[in-house]
Amino acid sequence: MSFVGALSALGASRLCSPSATIRRQTLQVHALATTKIHFSTTREVGFGESHKIVGGHPSLGSWDVGSAPTMNWNDGNVWTLDVDVPGGEGLEFKCIKVAGGHVEWEGGNNRCCQVPNGATKLVNIAFAWGDEGSLAVQVAEGSETSDSQPSSNGATSNGTTSNGTGPSHSEPAAPAPKQASKDPSGSGTWQDDRLPHQQWQGRDVAFMRSNEHSRERQGVWSLEGLQGATLSLVQGDQKHGNWLGKLETTKKVLVDEADKMLPDMDALASAYIYLQLISTGAIPCVEGGGHHRPNRHAELSRDIFRALERVIELAGDDALKAVIARKVHARLPSFSDAYTQSTPLTRIRDIAHRNDIPSDLKQEIKHTIQNKLHRNAGPEDLVATEAMLTRITQDGSYSQDFVKEFQIFTHELRDFFNAGSFKDMLDGLGESLDEDSKQAADRFLQAKGKADAVGPDAQGPEAAGALIEALHSLTSLRATLAARLSSGLRNDAPDNSISMRQRWRLCEIRAEEVAFVLLSRFLNLLEVQGGPEALAQGGDKAWALPLGAAVLGVRHLGLGGWQGPECMAIENELGTWQSKGSLNEHLAALRLKSSLERAQRLTQAFTDALLAVLPERADTLGRALGIEDERIQVFTEAEVRASVVFQLSRLVTLLLKGARLSSGGAEWDAMVAGRAVGVLREVDTMEAGALSGDAAAGPLVLLVKSASGDEEVGAAAIDLRGVLLCHSLPHLSHLGVRARQEKVVFAMCDDEETISAKVRPLIGQRVVLTASTEGVTIAAAEAGEADDASASAGAASSQSQPTDGKPSGSPSQTEKVKKAAIVPLAEAEVGTCGSKAAACAQLQRLAEASGSAFKAPTGVVLPFGCMDLAIKDAKKVKKFQGLLKDVEAAAPGQALDDACEQLQALISDLKPSKGLLQEACSAFEPDVLVIVRSSANVEDLEGMSGAGLYDSLANVPAGDPAALGKAVTGVWASLYTRRAVLTRRAAGVPQAEACMAVLVQEQLSPDTSFVLHTASPLGGDADVLVAELAVGLGETLASGTRGSPWRLAVDKASGKTDVTCFANFSQALTSAQGGSEASGNYKQVTVDYSRQALSVDADKQQSIGKSLSAVGVQLEDAFGGPQDVEGALTGSEIYVVQTRPQP
């Protein structure tokens, strides 16, 4: 059985519950022999600018920019830095430039290497800014260890933090060395499992022998411009200096002010940022007066916990709310019975009165920890306790009984702050574990012990197998925990049940953090073993464990509540492709690449979701509270980098590179061939207004972050020559058709590393973009280099009239009816019903002919003139004509938007005659659904396809004339959308000449939809037909849905079919059956391609390719030239719903 196949033992429970959170760290460190690391880089910077090295180890600031050390400048613009790091540590870092409050991070992935064990005295690490391949690691002469191997993407160091060595009021607090605690079960050594962004950033510990705790606060509480949760938090923080008051403020936001005690995203995200800043000391806590024992904090935590559990249970499709709720969970204190009693944590009182310790130490324990904890507990008390434990443990002169009692107290305090190790947390579940859960926990502890025993320097198959075994058993354990939590929290649950649920929840959350560490270690190993190149050369055995790791990483995202069905589909696909084997053969590698691209989208979506809710709120809250800019600027990046999705993204990127090497594919995908020369600009979208001023001056090549598929190609720039899109789209989509029509060179790339390395450095420069069947290139243009003929035709802008005043396309001649009446589809002609309806009529006749290779749906047409008659019946002719003139005259911008909106509103309010609607309905069986489509005189023409320009409305009950009427007016109104108006204006077509007929056809419920071009759209080969297919309705192909279709290239003479791309759209669109609204809405269904014949059955691929080729040839002959065809596969039948001249 393959590794991935063995994972199926987890069963359906694997996606039961969400999680994705980070936990507060403890402050243990372990005294180890250290190695001096000498960093060096050469770079010139401006006056007042400097460089820092920031990384996961405490000596590099634990990813806190403010705490990171500054490099020293030397002659020749050489920057150097020396730090000490324990041998055997994994070192992960980046260089940054600092100028005032601004921070610039070098591009690319984190730099990583392994610090050698042994008697190494000095390791030199040199690199060039922004060049990932430049990292050079060399052990200095005289050291006994051989050169360390760098990796491009290493693990986050598990090193811990010192609490600083600043002076205290009575006695300096020594840095807290990391303490490795032996796992009592004998399953190995347990290192501190905190993640880097959780390191303490607050004040140094001050051991005091009298009450020197201060209530004084220095801060900023600016309320200007604040609203919602942020306003409440800042107001509460200004009022409350101690942790109890800050928790009360958090409860107010998450519970008291929440609608039905169900906090919204603003409250959740803002509260998480606030609590995270408190837990790391960035927002300090001070004495607040009075005596407030920790039970008060615990009771507040219980109230907040209830609200958060409701969020997780009711999140539904809003997965991010559940993700953020879990993050908040991990920032709350425990409310176990031990901490809700009236006098919790009393052991420290007994310790402070022992007779076997010096008087000065008694006083320090009493005033620094005991009294402070019992008056105003806060995160700083755990910091002080950890530092004291380190001090008394290292000293060696204190009695063992005293040290043991203090260790027990420290364990209790960690438990209160939910800051213990994962092993401690599992132990805390105690008797609540059933037999299956106990076995799952034991298996993990044993596997983790084996992985730790192998050691961090091991590089062979034993090390990789041990890590994956540990990750596998951890995932099984987490699935067990999630299943137990999936039933939700009862409203009448007693306090002891709720407190035990908190322990289960936090244990399940912590499992994801442990997965982060295991994945990180495994990635380091993959890099050392050769990375993508080793996968491409190593056969199926080389792929087995890496694919298994990817499946387990995806499963952790699913268990964390992130897009559960999508995670399960990706798991199934990767597992199936691995079991089928031959992964380094072209087609198998191409198929694997498709699923890995889907997994990459999954990780990008998670990151994008965090970026949508955290940065702005962190900036607003940070500025309002006067927190250093550097800490706030890196807040969200630290959150992403500390999430398991970060390690999964790194792993998927590595696997994707290996799959591309095996398949012979490239990062780029050419959609419209040609050569374009222009200034490269970057825009978020291709909408009008994306560029302004000098930046809009052409000729231009645009790097576009995202496209919806509804854009007009020239909308963003008047003289657009080329487009580079940062994600995949179907080649035969509406956007692709428009780009070919307007002769705009178009290429796509969804590899961010390639874009960052090869494209973004050219922004602002004049470039040459070349796309062809051979590949895509982009480079700086030579001085005086001109465009060639293929690109000089340029793009017809959708914002301007042709410069010569001649129309680039002409509407068909129309004959408007004088009396409203339907036309049977078979009788539709161009003059009365438009080119689309006329083509559908010819399709119907061809389909009915004997020997036809396809079928066509029947229907009726509401011909040209019906809209005019409805306007006349409503007595709105004069108003309509006035608005039409306004639309014609309005300049692009708000004036045009307003005029279009008013004209559409007028049309939408029309009432087609009841007789007309009843006549149309009577053409169909009353229980079927119909689709209501446009058939304008300005679409489906040579030089004016209007692809996707006008609306089609689906799911209209044929037995409901009112619903049909609403759909008809909706299609009429789409004639005057802003985009439609601008498109006709660009083609030189007066708005008054545009007419709309409406085609009503029985709606299909296809298994698969297709678009085909009967001549290759990229190479222009007339002997090759290209088809693209997707599960469900064709909107997936026509619109800008992210992802790829099945793409078939078919030799029309022989029918031989080559698969050039496998489908990876995450969801299929299906008709939303039922209801009486013609909304055009669809139901989305997650697709598992391991169950799709076109992905797994070579005979099916050949059969469908040959059948579609036969249809294409028949249509090409019938219509007299290459055709752009849309259709569907239903069972064994091929339906063609539309054909137009191929652009």
Side-chain angles (χ1 to χ4, degrees):
M1 179 185 293
S2 70
F3 171 80
V4 176
L7 300 181
S8 61
L10 290 185
S13 66
R14 59 192 174 195
L15 295 173
C16 289
S17 183
S19 148
T21 198
I22 328 291
R23 184 186 58 89
R24 179 184 298 109
Q25 59 201 357
T26 55
L27 293 172
Q28 301 175 324
V29 284
H30 183 43
L32 296 170
T34 60
T35 297
K36 184 175 291 297
I37 307 295
H38 177 76
F39 294 96
S40 64
T41 189
T42 301
R43 188 173 185 238
E44 185 175 357
V45 297
F47 178 76
E49 298 176 334
S50 61
H51 285 114
K52 287 186 172 188
I53 298 290
V54 59
H57 192 266
S59 65
L60 302 180
S62 301
W63 291 114
D64 174 35
V65 172
S67 303
T70 301
M71 303 183 78
N72 299 309
W73 181 86
N74 302 274
D75 289 340
N77 293 311
V78 177
W79 295 83
T80 61
L81 173 69
D82 293 333
V83 297
D84 292 328
V85 176
E89 289 277 0
L91 198 61
E92 184 174 13
F93 68 93
K94 260 194 167 184
C95 188
I96 61 173
K97 184 178 77 173
V98 180
H102 177 71
V103 176
E104 178 186 352
W105 293 73
E106 64 172 333
N109 291 315
N110 294 347
R111 301 183 184 278
C112 308
C113 65
Q114 191 77 18
V115 179
N117 274 323
T120 306
K121 305 298 183 185
L122 174 65
V123 175
N124 293 308
I125 298 179
F127 60 91
W129 172 276
D131 182 355
E132 290 186 62
S134 67
L135 184 65
V137 182
Q138 185 177 28
V139 177
E141 240 178 276
S143 296
E144 295 177 8
T145 308
S146 61
D147 286 3
S148 173
Q149 296 295 318
S151 67
S152 62
N153 293 302
T156 302
S157 166
N158 277 338
T160 49
T161 183
S162 158
N163 287 313
T165 56
S168 67
H169 295 98
S170 303
E171 180 177 329
K178 183 167 184 173
Q179 177 175 301
S181 57
K182 187 69 176 177
D183 173 13
S185 70
S187 298
T189 298
W190 281 79
Q191 301 290 337
D192 176 12
D193 53 16
R194 293 166 297 164
L195 299 181
H197 75 305
Q198 300 163 256
Q199 304 290 345
W200 182 253
Q201 302 170 6
R203 292 187 293 261
D204 295 336
V205 174
F207 296 124
M208 53 190 71
R209 296 169 186 168
S210 62
N211 184 9
E212 300 173 27
H213 295 286
S214 174
R215 299 186 191 179
E216 293 184 7
R217 305 174 68 193
Q218 294 180 345
V220 175
W221 293 274
S222 174
L223 304 178
E224 183 179 355
L226 300 184
Q227 57 184 355
T230 306
L231 175 61
S232 295
L233 290 170
V234 175
Q235 287 175 329
D237 192 83
Q238 184 175 21
K239 180 179 178 182
H240 301 291
N242 62 6
W243 191 41
L244 177 65
K246 297 179 191 298
L247 287 175
E248 288 174 345
T249 297
T250 304
K251 174 180 175 289
K252 177 183 177 183
V253 168
L254 294 177
V255 181
D256 302 340
E257 294 180 346
D259 182 27
K260 298 179 181 178
M261 294 190 294
L262 193 65
D264 60 15
M265 180 59 77
D266 180 52
L268 289 165
S270 300
Y272 172 67
I273 295 164
Y274 182 61
L275 290 176
Q276 169 68 358
L277 294 172
I278 292 170
S279 70
T280 57
I283 296 177
C285 298
V286 300
E287 290 267 14
H291 285 70
H292 306 291
R293 293 187 181 274
N295 61 312
R296 293 279 303 279
H297 307 69
E299 290 163 358
L300 287 169
S301 178
R302 183 168 53 211
D303 292 340
I304 297 171
F305 179 86
R306 282 182 176 274
L308 296 175
E309 286 296 282
R310 291 190 71 228
V311 170
I312 294 172
E313 181 182 357
L314 302 175
D317 293 335
D318 196 352
L320 188 62
K321 290 180 71 173
V323 169
I324 302 295
R326 301 159 97 78
K327 287 179 173 288
V328 178
H329 266 320
R331 294 293 168 268
L332 299 175
S334 171
F335 50 84
S336 295
D337 293 345
Y339 310 119
T340 53
Q341 57 185 276
S342 59
T343 54
L345 296 166
T346 56
R347 187 183 304 274
I348 190 64
R349 180 185 60 197
D350 298 333
I351 291 173
H353 291 83
R354 291 180 67 95
N355 293 323
D356 58 350
I357 58 175
S359 176
D360 288 348
L361 182 57
K362 285 184 182 182
Q363 295 302 312
E364 288 173 359
I365 293 174
K366 177 180 179 180
H367 293 291
T368 307
I369 302 173
Q370 177 201 338
N371 291 348
K372 167 65 171 63
L373 182 64
H374 290 165
R375 284 197 310 267
N376 287 278
E380 64 280 1
D381 298 326
L382 180 59
V383 176
T385 300
E386 297 278 8
M388 178 64 76
L389 177 62
T390 298
R391 176 179 159 192
I392 65 176
T393 304
Q394 287 182 337
D395 186 280
S397 63
Y398 301 109
S399 74
Q400 290 299 309
D401 288 342
F402 161 65
V403 173
K404 183 177 180 180
E405 278 296 295
F406 201 91
Q407 287 174 332
I408 294 172
F409 167 72
T410 304
H411 176 87
E412 292 171 346
L413 195 60
R414 289 174 187 160
D415 186 54
F416 173 65
F417 282 99
N418 291 314
S421 71
F422 187 43
K423 170 67 166 57
D424 292 336
M425 299 179 83
L426 286 172
D427 289 344
L429 299 184
E431 295 181 359
S432 68
L433 290 172
D434 58 22
E435 191 58 34
D436 289 342
S437 302
K438 287 179 182 177
Q439 290 179 6
D442 289 342
R443 282 193 297 270
F444 167 67
L445 294 176
Q446 292 169 6
K448 178 65 163 57
K450 291 178 183 177
D452 288 343
V454 170
D457 294 330
Q459 299 179 7
E462 181 185 0
L467 286 171
I468 296 302
E469 183 183 355
L471 183 60
H472 185 191
S473 59
L474 172 69
T475 311
S476 300
L477 173 59
R478 188 181 181 196
T480 301
L481 296 169
R484 179 75 172 265
L485 291 161
S486 62
S487 59
L489 178 63
R490 287 170 32 207
N491 292 330
D492 60 348
D495 289 347
N496 61 341
S497 294
I498 300 174
S499 65
M500 184 52 68
R501 185 180 181 87
Q502 185 194 35
R503 288 190 177 276
W504 278 75
R505 175 64 72 197
L506 292 172
C507 211
E508 180 261 315
I509 289 170
R510 180 65 64 81
E512 185 169 305
E513 297 178 9
V514 179
F516 174 98
V517 175
L518 291 172
L519 278 171
S520 179
R521 288 179 60 185
F522 183 73
L523 271 161
N524 276 351
L525 197 59
L526 278 184
E527 289 284 1
V528 170
Q529 292 175 345
E533 292 78 11
L535 292 175
Q537 298 167 8
D540 291 346
K541 187 175 180 181
W543 284 97
L545 292 183
L547 283 176
V551 167
L552 292 169
V554 169
R555 188 166 301 174
H556 274 283
L557 278 192
L559 288 168
W562 185 252
Q563 299 186 14
E566 178 72 355
C567 289
M568 185 174 287
I570 293 171
E571 288 180 42
N572 291 342
E573 289 177 25
L574 294 178
T576 301
W577 308 155
Q578 183 193 341
S579 66
K580 287 183 174 295
S582 304
L583 294 175
N584 288 338
E585 295 181 4
H586 174 71
L587 277 183
L590 199 64
R591 183 172 58 191
L592 175 61
K593 167 180 163 288
S594 184
S595 292
L596 289 169
E597 287 171 343
R598 183 176 184 180
Q600 189 177 58
R601 286 202 311 270
L602 178 75
T603 64
Q604 289 171 344
F606 183 94
T607 302
D608 290 345
L610 286 184
L611 292 173
V613 301
L614 292 183
E616 184 177 350
R617 290 179 173 89
D619 182 70
T620 300
L621 188 62
R623 291 181 184 278
L625 295 175
I627 298 172
E628 296 93 327
D629 286 345
E630 290 179 354
R631 287 183 177 176
I632 295 302
Q633 287 170 357
V634 299
F635 182 91
T636 304
E637 181 176 359
E639 290 295 319
V640 172
R641 288 178 178 273
S643 168
V644 72
V645 77
F646 176 68
Q647 301 296 356
L648 177 60
S649 176
R650 290 177 52 214
L651 175 59
V652 169
T653 298
L654 185 150
L655 297 176
L656 194 49
K657 289 179 180 178
R660 286 191 179 118
L661 288 172
S662 296
S663 68
E667 297 91 348
W668 292 99
D669 187 11
M671 185 160 73
V672 180
R675 177 178 177 276
V677 178
V679 176
L680 181 64
R681 304 286 187 196
E682 184 172 17
V683 295
D684 289 334
T685 67
M686 295 170 63
E687 298 294 341
L691 292 171
S692 59
D694 293 341
L700 294 175
V701 174
L702 294 184
L703 176 63
V704 182
K705 293 181 181 178
S706 178
S708 68
D710 287 330
E711 301 88 349
E712 287 307 307
V713 176
I718 291 175
D719 191 3
L720 180 62
R721 303 299 178 90
V723 173
L724 295 168
L725 181 62
C726 297
H727 60 83
S728 298
L729 282 181
H731 287 196
L732 309 185
S733 64
H734 289 159
L735 189 58
V737 170
R738 295 172 199 143
R740 278 184 282 276
Q741 259 190 328
E742 300 185 21
K743 297 183 175 60
V744 174
V745 180
F746 205 118
M748 299 170 290
C749 178
D750 53 14
D751 185 75
E752 180 60 31
E753 288 185 22
T754 297
I755 292 169
S756 295
K758 298 181 180 179
V759 182
R760 287 202 171 93
L762 298 173
I763 289 174
Q765 300 182 42
R766 196 162 169 268
V767 300
V768 179
L769 170 64
T770 304
S772 70
T773 54
E774 303 301 316
V776 177
T777 61
I778 182 170
E782 299 289 341
E785 186 168 2
D787 221 342
D788 66 354
S790 69
S792 62
S797 166
S798 59
Q799 299 185 75
S800 60
Q801 293 277 19
T803 54
D804 61 2
K806 297 178 181 179
S808 58
S810 299
S812 61
Q813 296 298 314
T814 61
E815 302 173 23
K816 296 184 179 181
V817 296
K818 304 300 182 182
K819 181 179 179 181
I822 68 163
V823 175
L825 180 57
E827 300 174 12
E829 298 178 353
V830 173
T832 56
C833 300
S835 293
K836 181 184 292 183
C840 287
Q842 189 170 352
L843 286 173
Q844 191 174 358
R845 291 192 291 271
L846 286 171
E848 291 171 354
S850 60
S852 177
F854 67 91
K855 293 185 176 182
T858 59
V860 296
V861 184
L862 280 68
F864 297 132
C866 288
M867 186 180 81
D868 303 74
L869 292 170
I871 294 171
K872 182 178 179 181
D873 290 344
K875 298 180 170 51
K876 293 183 178 180
V877 174
K878 187 174 181 180
K879 184 176 181 180
F880 169 76
Q881 292 174 343
L883 288 172
L884 195 60
K885 289 179 181 179
D886 292 343
V887 166
E888 188 72 273
Q894 193 60 48
L896 179 60
D897 292 349
D898 291 345
C900 288
E901 186 176 329
Q902 292 177 52
L903 188 51
Q904 284 187 281
L906 184 150
I907 300 298
S908 297
D909 287 341
L910 296 176
K911 304 292 184 185
S913 72
K914 292 182 180 180
L916 180 71
L917 296 174
Q918 288 172 346
E919 187 180 3
C921 287
S922 65
F924 305 93
E925 295 295 327
D927 58 345
V928 305
L929 294 177
V930 296
I931 183 168
V932 182
R933 308 171 64 197
S934 66
S935 182
N937 67 334
V938 282
E939 63 176 326
D940 288 15
L941 305 173
E942 292 276 7
M944 191 189 295
S945 76
L949 196 58
Y950 307 107
D951 286 352
S952 293
L953 293 173
N955 311 321
V956 183
D960 188 344
L964 178 61
K966 184 175 180 180
V968 167
T969 57
V971 173
W972 284 343
S974 71
L975 191 63
Y976 301 110
T977 63
R978 172 183 173 278
R979 190 162 63 85
V981 167
L982 287 173
T983 299
R984 292 193 294 271
R985 185 180 295 182
V989 176
Q991 305 302 326
E993 292 186 12
C995 298
M996 179 67 76
V998 177
L999 171 61
V1000 183
Q1001 290 178 288
E1002 184 172 344
Q1003 183 171 301
L1004 302 175
S1005 294
D1007 303 319
T1008 307
S1009 294
F1010 66 82
V1011 177
L1012 60 86
H1013 282 195
T1014 59
S1016 173
L1018 187 61
D1021 189 343
D1023 296 326
V1024 175
L1025 174 146
V1026 174
E1028 293 187 333
L1029 304 95
V1031 178
L1033 295 170
E1035 183 66 18
T1036 302
L1037 292 168
S1039 69
T1041 305
R1042 292 197 65 168
S1044 300
W1046 288 291
R1047 188 173 299 123
L1048 310 179
V1050 189
D1051 181 280
K1052 289 192 285 190
S1054 65
K1056 182 180 180 299
T1057 300
D1058 291 327
V1059 181
T1060 61
C1061 183
F1062 282 88
N1064 66 13
F1065 293 118
S1066 295
Q1067 294 179 314
L1069 296 174
T1070 61
S1071 300
Q1073 299 288 340
S1076 59
E1077 291 297 318
S1079 62
N1081 290 333
Y1082 305 107
K1083 181 173 65 176
Q1084 294 186 325
V1085 179
T1086 300
V1087 183
D1088 176 357
Y1089 290 99
S1090 69
R1091 301 181 179 183
Q1092 293 292 324
L1094 268 172
S1095 288
V1096 298
D1097 188 340
D1099 291 340
K1100 188 74 170 179
Q1101 295 159 5
Q1102 294 297 320
S1103 171
I1104 288 178
K1106 190 171 185 178
S1107 297
L1108 291 179
S1109 177
V1111 171
V1113 169
Q1114 184 178 357
L1115 294 176
E1116 201 170 44
D1117 291 343
F1119 286 88
Q1123 295 293 297
D1124 172 2
V1125 184
E1126 296 180 19
L1129 306 178
T1130 302
S1132 61
E1133 304 289 352
I1134 297 178
Y1135 282 83
V1136 175
V1137 298
Q1138 180 171 310
T1139 188
R1140 61 167 72 93
Q1142 180 178 324

